[in-house]
Amino acid sequence: MENVEKYYGAFHALKAVNLTVRTGERIVLCGPSGSGKSTLIRCINQLEQVRSGRIVVDGIELTAGPKNVEAVRRNVGMVFQQFNLFPHMTVLENCTLAPMKVSGIAKAKAEETARKYLARVRIPEQAHKYPAQLSGGQQQRVAIARALCMNPRIMLFDEPTSSLDPEMVKEVLDTMIELANEGMTMLCVTHEMGFARQVADRVIFMDQGEIVEMGEPGTFFDNP
Ligand code: ADP
Ligand code: ADP
């Protein structure tokens, strides 16, 4: 991201944001509510449009046109605070929809991939249930599996544990830690500082639309 400026009407939500993330890097974004964390990661796959500046994802310039936006979105998986699963579709159908519709993968192959990722997030037995039949933690792991089914190069997480009951937070964080250990490039908005300390290569602190601090987790948490 180079000199990215984002406005909501007259409200200046991102101010001259510059950020370079290397392949395989794990970034945690923190900062007070309303500081622009969610906006920043939503700009990375153009869920929000920037006013000016450049965003280049995996060599593709996002800000250069709609074709590029589609290409980038195929490579960027996103997990939201509210799981955003389709309620009228089973877990398996949620996971195969985009690979079939967006990437044109055949159903059998898409289901095979979906089952692989559902096993990886430790819910292989839930494939034929509907989201409402699952706990929040299970639903969020479905959302992670669904994103992984597109074989993304980058994963964005927007407060993935904030709407979960405390006892379910760990199972979702464990899944994220596994992904991090496998070398996935990740940007995570989270208040889970234990997670940040354990997996983040860099922690970014935002305030009022600006990146105000950036550093290794140790430099943040071990000093008063
Ligand atoms: P954070 O993720 O750090 O809580 P957000 O990126 O969600 O912050 O929001 C940053 C600021 O932008 C907040 O003041 C918020 O109220 C405002 N904002 C976010 N989305 C919109 C929107 N769609 N329309 C208007 N203002 C918005
Ligand atoms: P909601 O409308 O439930 O608040 P969001 O504002 O979080 O949902 O997201 C807006 C919509 O954009 C969602 O329905 C989401 O599925 C969709 N979307 C489009 N492209 C992508 C993408 N590449 N990654 C994630 N979501 C996407």
Side-chain angles (χ1 to χ4, degrees):
M1 306 181 91
E2 209 177 271
N3 272 318
V4 166
E5 302 278 350
K6 166 69 185 170
Y7 285 79
Y8 293 109
F11 181 77
H12 202 172
L14 291 180
K15 301 169 186 167
V17 167
N18 286 290
L19 175 62
T20 303
V21 179
R22 295 185 304 277
T23 302
E25 203 175 11
R26 282 72 50 107
I27 305 281
V28 164
L29 287 160
C30 59
S33 178
S35 57
K37 308 180 295 293
S38 179
T39 300
L40 190 154
I41 66 166
R42 292 170 66 90
C43 286
I44 295 172
N45 63 3
Q46 204 81 340
L47 291 178
E48 300 292 350
Q49 285 175 12
V50 305
R51 172 173 294 185
S52 61
R54 288 173 78 223
I55 302 179
V56 180
V57 181
D58 214 12
I60 301 171
E61 180 154 3
L62 184 62
T63 30
K67 270 236 167 61
N68 287 353
V69 172
E70 279 174 39
V72 165
R73 281 184 183 172
R74 274 200 291 274
N75 283 321
V76 180
M78 176 128 184
V79 175
F80 301 90
Q81 180 174 349
Q82 301 303 331
F83 325 121
N84 287 12
L85 298 172
F86 293 107
H88 60 290
M89 290 183 171
T90 65
V91 164
L92 195 64
E93 288 164 349
N94 266 283
C95 291
T96 55
L97 181 72
M100 289 167 64
K101 292 258 180 223
V102 179
S103 303
I105 308 282
K107 188 174 178 197
K109 178 75 189 153
E111 288 187 350
E112 184 190 322
T113 303
R115 288 183 188 282
K116 180 180 89 179
Y117 285 117
L118 289 170
R120 258 191 46 190
V121 302
R122 303 192 204 295
I123 41 173
E125 70 289 358
Q126 312 291 354
H128 295 291
K129 292 201 179 150
Y130 288 87
Q133 296 173 284
L134 305 181
S135 73
Q138 290 173 327
Q139 289 186 59
Q140 194 60 300
R141 282 180 290 154
V142 172
I144 294 171
R146 177 178 64 175
L148 293 174
C149 283
M150 289 295 283
N151 195 24
R153 308 241 309 141
I154 299 162
M155 286 284 286
L156 308 175
F157 292 87
D158 193 356
E159 301 206 30
T161 59
S162 298
S163 66
L164 299 177
D165 292 334
E167 67 271 20
M168 288 163 192
V169 169
K170 185 176 181 303
E171 58 192 34
V172 170
L173 289 179
D174 284 348
T175 299
M176 293 170 66
I177 289 166
E178 278 178 31
L179 262 185
N181 289 339
E182 287 163 19
M184 178 65 79
T185 307
M186 296 166 67
L187 277 84
C188 313
V189 176
T190 181
H191 300 290
E192 296 289 340
M193 290 303 118
F195 172 81
R197 197 182 274 122
Q198 191 175 345
V199 310
D201 299 301
R202 261 193 297 166
V203 176
I204 289 173
F205 192 84
M206 293 190 69
D207 193 24
Q208 297 184 45
E210 291 181 282
I211 292 177
V212 292
E213 292 274 2
M214 178 146 47
E216 291 175 11
T219 62
F220 266 81
F221 302 124
D222 300 340
N223 298 324

PDB file of all heavy atoms in Angstrom, residues 26-64:
ATOM      1  N   ARG A  26       3.484 -12.596   8.799  1.00  0.00           N
ATOM      2  CA  ARG A  26       2.267 -12.576   9.604  1.00  0.00           C
ATOM      3  C   ARG A  26       2.175 -11.228  10.316  1.00  0.00           C
ATOM      4  O   ARG A  26       3.045 -10.888  11.101  1.00  0.00           O
ATOM      5  CB  ARG A  26       2.277 -13.698  10.650  1.00  0.00           C
ATOM      6  CG  ARG A  26       1.939 -15.071  10.114  1.00  0.00           C
ATOM      7  CD  ARG A  26       3.031 -15.693   9.257  1.00  0.00           C
ATOM      8  NE  ARG A  26       4.340 -15.671   9.878  1.00  0.00           N
ATOM      9  CZ  ARG A  26       4.966 -16.735  10.392  1.00  0.00           C
ATOM     10  NH1 ARG A  26       4.408 -17.916  10.372  1.00  0.00           N
ATOM     11  NH2 ARG A  26       6.173 -16.629  10.902  1.00  0.00           N
ATOM     12  N   ILE A  27       1.125 -10.482   9.994  1.00  0.00           N
ATOM     13  CA  ILE A  27       0.960  -9.137  10.527  1.00  0.00           C
ATOM     14  C   ILE A  27      -0.265  -9.118  11.437  1.00  0.00           C
ATOM     15  O   ILE A  27      -1.320  -9.636  11.063  1.00  0.00           O
ATOM     16  CB  ILE A  27       0.696  -8.125   9.385  1.00  0.00           C
ATOM     17  CG1 ILE A  27       1.796  -8.177   8.324  1.00  0.00           C
ATOM     18  CG2 ILE A  27       0.484  -6.730   9.937  1.00  0.00           C
ATOM     19  CD1 ILE A  27       3.048  -7.466   8.658  1.00  0.00           C
ATOM     20  N   VAL A  28      -0.124  -8.518  12.593  1.00  0.00           N
ATOM     21  CA  VAL A  28      -1.291  -8.272  13.435  1.00  0.00           C
ATOM     22  C   VAL A  28      -1.523  -6.768  13.495  1.00  0.00           C
ATOM     23  O   VAL A  28      -0.594  -5.989  13.735  1.00  0.00           O
ATOM     24  CB  VAL A  28      -1.110  -8.860  14.849  1.00  0.00           C
ATOM     25  CG1 VAL A  28      -2.124  -8.280  15.823  1.00  0.00           C
ATOM     26  CG2 VAL A  28      -1.243 -10.388  14.810  1.00  0.00           C
ATOM     27  N   LEU A  29      -2.776  -6.378  13.228  1.00  0.00           N
ATOM     28  CA  LEU A  29      -3.162  -4.974  13.300  1.00  0.00           C
ATOM     29  C   LEU A  29      -3.935  -4.759  14.578  1.00  0.00           C
ATOM     30  O   LEU A  29      -4.929  -5.450  14.833  1.00  0.00           O
ATOM     31  CB  LEU A  29      -4.097  -4.634  12.136  1.00  0.00           C
ATOM     32  CG  LEU A  29      -3.476  -4.525  10.750  1.00  0.00           C
ATOM     33  CD1 LEU A  29      -4.560  -4.668   9.692  1.00  0.00           C
ATOM     34  CD2 LEU A  29      -2.797  -3.185  10.613  1.00  0.00           C
ATOM     35  N   CYS A  30      -3.483  -3.793  15.379  1.00  0.00           N
ATOM     36  CA  CYS A  30      -4.248  -3.482  16.577  1.00  0.00           C
ATOM     37  C   CYS A  30      -4.405  -1.973  16.697  1.00  0.00           C
ATOM     38  O   CYS A  30      -3.901  -1.220  15.861  1.00  0.00           O
ATOM     39  CB  CYS A  30      -3.618  -4.124  17.801  1.00  0.00           C
ATOM     40  SG  CYS A  30      -1.933  -3.631  18.111  1.00  0.00           S
ATOM     41  N   GLY A  31      -5.118  -1.560  17.732  1.00  0.00           N
ATOM     42  CA  GLY A  31      -5.418  -0.144  17.896  1.00  0.00           C
ATOM     43  C   GLY A  31      -6.855   0.024  18.323  1.00  0.00           C
ATOM     44  O   GLY A  31      -7.641  -0.917  18.234  1.00  0.00           O
ATOM     45  N   PRO A  32      -7.205   1.239  18.770  1.00  0.00           N
ATOM     46  CA  PRO A  32      -8.549   1.445  19.310  1.00  0.00           C
ATOM     47  C   PRO A  32      -9.646   1.240  18.266  1.00  0.00           C
ATOM     48  O   PRO A  32      -9.391   1.301  17.055  1.00  0.00           O
ATOM     49  CB  PRO A  32      -8.537   2.889  19.803  1.00  0.00           C
ATOM     50  CG  PRO A  32      -7.290   3.498  19.302  1.00  0.00           C
ATOM     51  CD  PRO A  32      -6.352   2.424  18.889  1.00  0.00           C
ATOM     52  N   SER A  33     -10.830   1.004  18.751  1.00  0.00           N
ATOM     53  CA  SER A  33     -11.990   0.875  17.888  1.00  0.00           C
ATOM     54  C   SER A  33     -12.157   2.157  17.072  1.00  0.00           C
ATOM     55  O   SER A  33     -12.011   3.265  17.597  1.00  0.00           O
ATOM     56  CB  SER A  33     -13.218   0.634  18.773  1.00  0.00           C
ATOM     57  OG  SER A  33     -14.345   0.558  17.962  1.00  0.00           O
ATOM     58  N   GLY A  34     -12.391   1.997  15.770  1.00  0.00           N
ATOM     59  CA  GLY A  34     -12.590   3.163  14.916  1.00  0.00           C
ATOM     60  C   GLY A  34     -11.302   3.727  14.346  1.00  0.00           C
ATOM     61  O   GLY A  34     -11.306   4.738  13.648  1.00  0.00           O
ATOM     62  N   SER A  35     -10.159   3.061  14.590  1.00  0.00           N
ATOM     63  CA  SER A  35      -8.882   3.611  14.132  1.00  0.00           C
ATOM     64  C   SER A  35      -8.588   3.288  12.664  1.00  0.00           C
ATOM     65  O   SER A  35      -7.613   3.784  12.110  1.00  0.00           O
ATOM     66  CB  SER A  35      -7.743   3.121  15.032  1.00  0.00           C
ATOM     67  OG  SER A  35      -7.684   1.708  15.072  1.00  0.00           O
ATOM     68  N   GLY A  36      -9.409   2.401  12.051  1.00  0.00           N
ATOM     69  CA  GLY A  36      -9.237   2.148  10.615  1.00  0.00           C
ATOM     70  C   GLY A  36      -8.669   0.779  10.279  1.00  0.00           C
ATOM     71  O   GLY A  36      -8.345   0.497   9.120  1.00  0.00           O
ATOM     72  N   LYS A  37      -8.576  -0.097  11.271  1.00  0.00           N
ATOM     73  CA  LYS A  37      -7.990  -1.432  11.047  1.00  0.00           C
ATOM     74  C   LYS A  37      -8.789  -2.234  10.027  1.00  0.00           C
ATOM     75  O   LYS A  37      -8.251  -2.787   9.074  1.00  0.00           O
ATOM     76  CB  LYS A  37      -7.925  -2.221  12.379  1.00  0.00           C
ATOM     77  CG  LYS A  37      -7.256  -1.465  13.505  1.00  0.00           C
ATOM     78  CD  LYS A  37      -7.222  -2.267  14.790  1.00  0.00           C
ATOM     79  CE  LYS A  37      -8.605  -2.551  15.384  1.00  0.00           C
ATOM     80  NZ  LYS A  37      -9.296  -1.335  15.867  1.00  0.00           N
ATOM     81  N   SER A  38     -10.097  -2.292  10.269  1.00  0.00           N
ATOM     82  CA  SER A  38     -10.973  -3.029   9.374  1.00  0.00           C
ATOM     83  C   SER A  38     -10.950  -2.396   7.974  1.00  0.00           C
ATOM     84  O   SER A  38     -10.856  -3.088   6.961  1.00  0.00           O
ATOM     85  CB  SER A  38     -12.388  -3.017   9.955  1.00  0.00           C
ATOM     86  OG  SER A  38     -13.257  -3.691   9.109  1.00  0.00           O
ATOM     87  N   THR A  39     -11.001  -1.093   7.926  1.00  0.00           N
ATOM     88  CA  THR A  39     -10.955  -0.392   6.637  1.00  0.00           C
ATOM     89  C   THR A  39      -9.682  -0.749   5.879  1.00  0.00           C
ATOM     90  O   THR A  39      -9.725  -1.035   4.678  1.00  0.00           O
ATOM     91  CB  THR A  39     -11.025   1.138   6.864  1.00  0.00           C
ATOM     92  OG1 THR A  39     -12.250   1.444   7.525  1.00  0.00           O
ATOM     93  CG2 THR A  39     -10.941   1.905   5.563  1.00  0.00           C
ATOM     94  N   LEU A  40      -8.569  -0.781   6.593  1.00  0.00           N
ATOM     95  CA  LEU A  40      -7.293  -1.076   5.920  1.00  0.00           C
ATOM     96  C   LEU A  40      -7.343  -2.446   5.256  1.00  0.00           C
ATOM     97  O   LEU A  40      -7.030  -2.578   4.072  1.00  0.00           O
ATOM     98  CB  LEU A  40      -6.138  -0.989   6.921  1.00  0.00           C
ATOM     99  CG  LEU A  40      -4.732  -1.040   6.327  1.00  0.00           C
ATOM    100  CD1 LEU A  40      -3.743  -0.330   7.231  1.00  0.00           C
ATOM    101  CD2 LEU A  40      -4.241  -2.452   6.071  1.00  0.00           C
ATOM    102  N   ILE A  41      -7.780  -3.468   6.002  1.00  0.00           N
ATOM    103  CA  ILE A  41      -7.732  -4.786   5.355  1.00  0.00           C
ATOM    104  C   ILE A  41      -8.828  -4.931   4.300  1.00  0.00           C
ATOM    105  O   ILE A  41      -8.642  -5.633   3.321  1.00  0.00           O
ATOM    106  CB  ILE A  41      -7.696  -5.975   6.345  1.00  0.00           C
ATOM    107  CG1 ILE A  41      -8.943  -6.105   7.139  1.00  0.00           C
ATOM    108  CG2 ILE A  41      -6.474  -5.947   7.227  1.00  0.00           C
ATOM    109  CD1 ILE A  41      -8.985  -7.475   7.838  1.00  0.00           C
ATOM    110  N   ARG A  42      -9.941  -4.232   4.475  1.00  0.00           N
ATOM    111  CA  ARG A  42     -10.997  -4.311   3.445  1.00  0.00           C
ATOM    112  C   ARG A  42     -10.574  -3.621   2.145  1.00  0.00           C
ATOM    113  O   ARG A  42     -11.055  -3.971   1.072  1.00  0.00           O
ATOM    114  CB  ARG A  42     -12.305  -3.727   3.974  1.00  0.00           C
ATOM    115  CG  ARG A  42     -12.918  -4.584   5.099  1.00  0.00           C
ATOM    116  CD  ARG A  42     -14.071  -3.872   5.783  1.00  0.00           C
ATOM    117  NE  ARG A  42     -15.194  -3.697   4.888  1.00  0.00           N
ATOM    118  CZ  ARG A  42     -16.186  -4.577   4.738  1.00  0.00           C
ATOM    119  NH1 ARG A  42     -16.195  -5.676   5.463  1.00  0.00           N
ATOM    120  NH2 ARG A  42     -17.155  -4.353   3.890  1.00  0.00           N
ATOM    121  N   CYS A  43      -9.668  -2.665   2.262  1.00  0.00           N
ATOM    122  CA  CYS A  43      -9.145  -2.028   1.036  1.00  0.00           C
ATOM    123  C   CYS A  43      -8.263  -2.994   0.258  1.00  0.00           C
ATOM    124  O   CYS A  43      -8.133  -2.880  -0.969  1.00  0.00           O
ATOM    125  CB  CYS A  43      -8.343  -0.775   1.383  1.00  0.00           C
ATOM    126  SG  CYS A  43      -9.377   0.620   1.867  1.00  0.00           S
ATOM    127  N   ILE A  44      -7.647  -3.959   0.943  1.00  0.00           N
ATOM    128  CA  ILE A  44      -6.716  -4.874   0.276  1.00  0.00           C
ATOM    129  C   ILE A  44      -7.440  -5.758  -0.737  1.00  0.00           C
ATOM    130  O   ILE A  44      -6.844  -6.190  -1.718  1.00  0.00           O
ATOM    131  CB  ILE A  44      -5.922  -5.693   1.317  1.00  0.00           C
ATOM    132  CG1 ILE A  44      -5.027  -4.749   2.125  1.00  0.00           C
ATOM    133  CG2 ILE A  44      -5.088  -6.803   0.669  1.00  0.00           C
ATOM    134  CD1 ILE A  44      -4.349  -5.396   3.304  1.00  0.00           C
ATOM    135  N   ASN A  45      -8.728  -6.044  -0.525  1.00  0.00           N
ATOM    136  CA  ASN A  45      -9.445  -6.768  -1.594  1.00  0.00           C
ATOM    137  C   ASN A  45     -10.605  -5.953  -2.153  1.00  0.00           C
ATOM    138  O   ASN A  45     -11.532  -6.498  -2.723  1.00  0.00           O
ATOM    139  CB  ASN A  45      -9.890  -8.154  -1.147  1.00  0.00           C
ATOM    140  CG  ASN A  45     -10.864  -8.114  -0.017  1.00  0.00           C
ATOM    141  OD1 ASN A  45     -11.264  -7.038   0.411  1.00  0.00           O
ATOM    142  ND2 ASN A  45     -11.261  -9.273   0.453  1.00  0.00           N
ATOM    143  N   GLN A  46     -10.500  -4.650  -1.959  1.00  0.00           N
ATOM    144  CA  GLN A  46     -11.420  -3.717  -2.612  1.00  0.00           C
ATOM    145  C   GLN A  46     -12.865  -3.876  -2.145  1.00  0.00           C
ATOM    146  O   GLN A  46     -13.798  -3.556  -2.871  1.00  0.00           O
ATOM    147  CB  GLN A  46     -11.313  -3.878  -4.134  1.00  0.00           C
ATOM    148  CG  GLN A  46     -11.732  -2.663  -4.917  1.00  0.00           C
ATOM    149  CD  GLN A  46     -10.654  -1.592  -5.020  1.00  0.00           C
ATOM    150  OE1 GLN A  46      -9.709  -1.558  -4.230  1.00  0.00           O
ATOM    151  NE2 GLN A  46     -10.792  -0.684  -5.967  1.00  0.00           N
ATOM    152  N   LEU A  47     -13.047  -4.403  -0.913  1.00  0.00           N
ATOM    153  CA  LEU A  47     -14.386  -4.307  -0.319  1.00  0.00           C
ATOM    154  C   LEU A  47     -14.668  -2.841  -0.014  1.00  0.00           C
ATOM    155  O   LEU A  47     -15.811  -2.430   0.121  1.00  0.00           O
ATOM    156  CB  LEU A  47     -14.481  -5.161   0.956  1.00  0.00           C
ATOM    157  CG  LEU A  47     -14.424  -6.671   0.737  1.00  0.00           C
ATOM    158  CD1 LEU A  47     -14.474  -7.414   2.057  1.00  0.00           C
ATOM    159  CD2 LEU A  47     -15.546  -7.142  -0.174  1.00  0.00           C
ATOM    160  N   GLU A  48     -13.606  -2.060   0.131  1.00  0.00           N
ATOM    161  CA  GLU A  48     -13.720  -0.602   0.201  1.00  0.00           C
ATOM    162  C   GLU A  48     -12.821  -0.010  -0.869  1.00  0.00           C
ATOM    163  O   GLU A  48     -11.740  -0.539  -1.127  1.00  0.00           O
ATOM    164  CB  GLU A  48     -13.249  -0.073   1.570  1.00  0.00           C
ATOM    165  CG  GLU A  48     -14.015  -0.610   2.766  1.00  0.00           C
ATOM    166  CD  GLU A  48     -15.450  -0.114   2.827  1.00  0.00           C
ATOM    167  OE1 GLU A  48     -15.819   0.800   2.056  1.00  0.00           O
ATOM    168  OE2 GLU A  48     -16.197  -0.668   3.650  1.00  0.00           O
ATOM    169  N   GLN A  49     -13.289   1.064  -1.470  1.00  0.00           N
ATOM    170  CA  GLN A  49     -12.477   1.709  -2.490  1.00  0.00           C
ATOM    171  C   GLN A  49     -11.722   2.895  -1.916  1.00  0.00           C
ATOM    172  O   GLN A  49     -12.284   3.673  -1.143  1.00  0.00           O
ATOM    173  CB  GLN A  49     -13.359   2.149  -3.654  1.00  0.00           C
ATOM    174  CG  GLN A  49     -13.755   0.932  -4.477  1.00  0.00           C
ATOM    175  CD  GLN A  49     -14.721   1.251  -5.586  1.00  0.00           C
ATOM    176  OE1 GLN A  49     -14.944   2.418  -5.906  1.00  0.00           O
ATOM    177  NE2 GLN A  49     -15.292   0.219  -6.154  1.00  0.00           N
ATOM    178  N   VAL A  50     -10.479   2.992  -2.316  1.00  0.00           N
ATOM    179  CA  VAL A  50      -9.656   4.072  -1.799  1.00  0.00           C
ATOM    180  C   VAL A  50      -9.833   5.312  -2.675  1.00  0.00           C
ATOM    181  O   VAL A  50     -10.270   5.217  -3.823  1.00  0.00           O
ATOM    182  CB  VAL A  50      -8.162   3.654  -1.751  1.00  0.00           C
ATOM    183  CG1 VAL A  50      -8.008   2.379  -0.942  1.00  0.00           C
ATOM    184  CG2 VAL A  50      -7.576   3.484  -3.142  1.00  0.00           C
ATOM    185  N   ARG A  51      -9.537   6.460  -2.095  1.00  0.00           N
ATOM    186  CA  ARG A  51      -9.626   7.680  -2.913  1.00  0.00           C
ATOM    187  C   ARG A  51      -8.372   7.854  -3.753  1.00  0.00           C
ATOM    188  O   ARG A  51      -8.432   8.195  -4.918  1.00  0.00           O
ATOM    189  CB  ARG A  51      -9.825   8.910  -2.020  1.00  0.00           C
ATOM    190  CG  ARG A  51      -9.720  10.213  -2.835  1.00  0.00           C
ATOM    191  CD  ARG A  51     -10.067  11.430  -2.037  1.00  0.00           C
ATOM    192  NE  ARG A  51     -11.471  11.432  -1.641  1.00  0.00           N
ATOM    193  CZ  ARG A  51     -12.046  12.437  -1.021  1.00  0.00           C
ATOM    194  NH1 ARG A  51     -11.354  13.520  -0.719  1.00  0.00           N
ATOM    195  NH2 ARG A  51     -13.310  12.369  -0.678  1.00  0.00           N
ATOM    196  N   SER A  52      -7.240   7.598  -3.133  1.00  0.00           N
ATOM    197  CA  SER A  52      -5.982   7.737  -3.891  1.00  0.00           C
ATOM    198  C   SER A  52      -4.916   6.858  -3.265  1.00  0.00           C
ATOM    199  O   SER A  52      -5.093   6.304  -2.182  1.00  0.00           O
ATOM    200  CB  SER A  52      -5.538   9.204  -3.904  1.00  0.00           C
ATOM    201  OG  SER A  52      -5.320   9.642  -2.587  1.00  0.00           O
ATOM    202  N   GLY A  53      -3.831   6.739  -3.980  1.00  0.00           N
ATOM    203  CA  GLY A  53      -2.751   5.858  -3.562  1.00  0.00           C
ATOM    204  C   GLY A  53      -2.795   4.564  -4.360  1.00  0.00           C
ATOM    205  O   GLY A  53      -3.685   4.372  -5.188  1.00  0.00           O
ATOM    206  N   ARG A  54      -1.808   3.709  -4.125  1.00  0.00           N
ATOM    207  CA  ARG A  54      -1.718   2.457  -4.881  1.00  0.00           C
ATOM    208  C   ARG A  54      -1.781   1.271  -3.942  1.00  0.00           C
ATOM    209  O   ARG A  54      -1.220   1.299  -2.854  1.00  0.00           O
ATOM    210  CB  ARG A  54      -0.385   2.377  -5.630  1.00  0.00           C
ATOM    211  CG  ARG A  54      -0.265   3.284  -6.807  1.00  0.00           C
ATOM    212  CD  ARG A  54       1.160   3.220  -7.341  1.00  0.00           C
ATOM    213  NE  ARG A  54       1.394   2.007  -8.125  1.00  0.00           N
ATOM    214  CZ  ARG A  54       2.502   1.258  -8.033  1.00  0.00           C
ATOM    215  NH1 ARG A  54       3.447   1.565  -7.192  1.00  0.00           N
ATOM    216  NH2 ARG A  54       2.639   0.196  -8.799  1.00  0.00           N
ATOM    217  N   ILE A  55      -2.457   0.214  -4.411  1.00  0.00           N
ATOM    218  CA  ILE A  55      -2.421  -1.050  -3.689  1.00  0.00           C
ATOM    219  C   ILE A  55      -2.026  -2.126  -4.694  1.00  0.00           C
ATOM    220  O   ILE A  55      -2.698  -2.312  -5.718  1.00  0.00           O
ATOM    221  CB  ILE A  55      -3.779  -1.392  -3.048  1.00  0.00           C
ATOM    222  CG1 ILE A  55      -4.218  -0.279  -2.087  1.00  0.00           C
ATOM    223  CG2 ILE A  55      -3.685  -2.735  -2.302  1.00  0.00           C
ATOM    224  CD1 ILE A  55      -5.563  -0.511  -1.426  1.00  0.00           C
ATOM    225  N   VAL A  56      -0.939  -2.805  -4.412  1.00  0.00           N
ATOM    226  CA  VAL A  56      -0.458  -3.882  -5.276  1.00  0.00           C
ATOM    227  C   VAL A  56      -0.441  -5.160  -4.454  1.00  0.00           C
ATOM    228  O   VAL A  56       0.149  -5.198  -3.375  1.00  0.00           O
ATOM    229  CB  VAL A  56       0.956  -3.576  -5.827  1.00  0.00           C
ATOM    230  CG1 VAL A  56       1.435  -4.704  -6.729  1.00  0.00           C
ATOM    231  CG2 VAL A  56       0.962  -2.246  -6.567  1.00  0.00           C
ATOM    232  N   VAL A  57      -1.152  -6.168  -4.936  1.00  0.00           N
ATOM    233  CA  VAL A  57      -1.228  -7.436  -4.218  1.00  0.00           C
ATOM    234  C   VAL A  57      -0.638  -8.526  -5.101  1.00  0.00           C
ATOM    235  O   VAL A  57      -1.157  -8.798  -6.180  1.00  0.00           O
ATOM    236  CB  VAL A  57      -2.687  -7.793  -3.855  1.00  0.00           C
ATOM    237  CG1 VAL A  57      -2.739  -9.105  -3.074  1.00  0.00           C
ATOM    238  CG2 VAL A  57      -3.340  -6.682  -3.042  1.00  0.00           C
ATOM    239  N   ASP A  58       0.434  -9.124  -4.633  1.00  0.00           N
ATOM    240  CA  ASP A  58       1.040 -10.227  -5.363  1.00  0.00           C
ATOM    241  C   ASP A  58       1.362  -9.821  -6.804  1.00  0.00           C
ATOM    242  O   ASP A  58       1.105 -10.569  -7.750  1.00  0.00           O
ATOM    243  CB  ASP A  58       0.055 -11.424  -5.351  1.00  0.00           C
ATOM    244  CG  ASP A  58       0.802 -12.757  -5.303  1.00  0.00           C
ATOM    245  OD1 ASP A  58       2.014 -12.746  -5.054  1.00  0.00           O
ATOM    246  OD2 ASP A  58       0.155 -13.783  -5.534  1.00  0.00           O
ATOM    247  N   GLY A  59       1.847  -8.614  -6.950  1.00  0.00           N
ATOM    248  CA  GLY A  59       2.269  -8.121  -8.261  1.00  0.00           C
ATOM    249  C   GLY A  59       1.156  -7.533  -9.110  1.00  0.00           C
ATOM    250  O   GLY A  59       1.409  -7.017 -10.196  1.00  0.00           O
ATOM    251  N   ILE A  60      -0.084  -7.622  -8.623  1.00  0.00           N
ATOM    252  CA  ILE A  60      -1.212  -7.106  -9.404  1.00  0.00           C
ATOM    253  C   ILE A  60      -1.674  -5.782  -8.807  1.00  0.00           C
ATOM    254  O   ILE A  60      -1.948  -5.697  -7.608  1.00  0.00           O
ATOM    255  CB  ILE A  60      -2.391  -8.103  -9.389  1.00  0.00           C
ATOM    256  CG1 ILE A  60      -1.946  -9.449  -9.968  1.00  0.00           C
ATOM    257  CG2 ILE A  60      -3.572  -7.543 -10.160  1.00  0.00           C
ATOM    258  CD1 ILE A  60      -2.985 -10.547  -9.801  1.00  0.00           C
ATOM    259  N   GLU A  61      -1.755  -4.761  -9.644  1.00  0.00           N
ATOM    260  CA  GLU A  61      -2.172  -3.449  -9.137  1.00  0.00           C
ATOM    261  C   GLU A  61      -3.689  -3.388  -9.044  1.00  0.00           C
ATOM    262  O   GLU A  61      -4.410  -3.294 -10.032  1.00  0.00           O
ATOM    263  CB  GLU A  61      -1.635  -2.320 -10.008  1.00  0.00           C
ATOM    264  CG  GLU A  61      -2.081  -0.987  -9.447  1.00  0.00           C
ATOM    265  CD  GLU A  61      -1.176   0.175  -9.782  1.00  0.00           C
ATOM    266  OE1 GLU A  61      -0.196  -0.003 -10.511  1.00  0.00           O
ATOM    267  OE2 GLU A  61      -1.490   1.283  -9.302  1.00  0.00           O
ATOM    268  N   LEU A  62      -4.160  -3.427  -7.803  1.00  0.00           N
ATOM    269  CA  LEU A  62      -5.587  -3.481  -7.521  1.00  0.00           C
ATOM    270  C   LEU A  62      -6.296  -2.215  -7.958  1.00  0.00           C
ATOM    271  O   LEU A  62      -7.419  -2.239  -8.447  1.00  0.00           O
ATOM    272  CB  LEU A  62      -5.731  -3.673  -6.007  1.00  0.00           C
ATOM    273  CG  LEU A  62      -7.078  -3.853  -5.383  1.00  0.00           C
ATOM    274  CD1 LEU A  62      -7.731  -5.093  -5.922  1.00  0.00           C
ATOM    275  CD2 LEU A  62      -6.912  -3.957  -3.877  1.00  0.00           C
ATOM    276  N   THR A  63      -5.628  -1.101  -7.749  1.00  0.00           N
ATOM    277  CA  THR A  63      -6.242   0.188  -8.011  1.00  0.00           C
ATOM    278  C   THR A  63      -6.280   0.514  -9.503  1.00  0.00           C
ATOM    279  O   THR A  63      -6.710   1.586  -9.887  1.00  0.00           O
ATOM    280  CB  THR A  63      -5.487   1.270  -7.201  1.00  0.00           C
ATOM    281  OG1 THR A  63      -4.119   0.866  -7.039  1.00  0.00           O
ATOM    282  CG2 THR A  63      -6.088   1.399  -5.817  1.00  0.00           C
ATOM    283  N   ALA A  64      -5.896  -0.450 -10.358  1.00  0.00           N
ATOM    284  CA  ALA A  64      -5.834  -0.153 -11.797  1.00  0.00           C
ATOM    285  C   ALA A  64      -7.067  -0.593 -12.582  1.00  0.00           C
ATOM    286  O   ALA A  64      -7.134  -0.379 -13.778  1.00  0.00           O
ATOM    287  CB  ALA A  64      -4.590  -0.771 -12.413  1.00  0.00           C
TER     288      ALA A  64
END
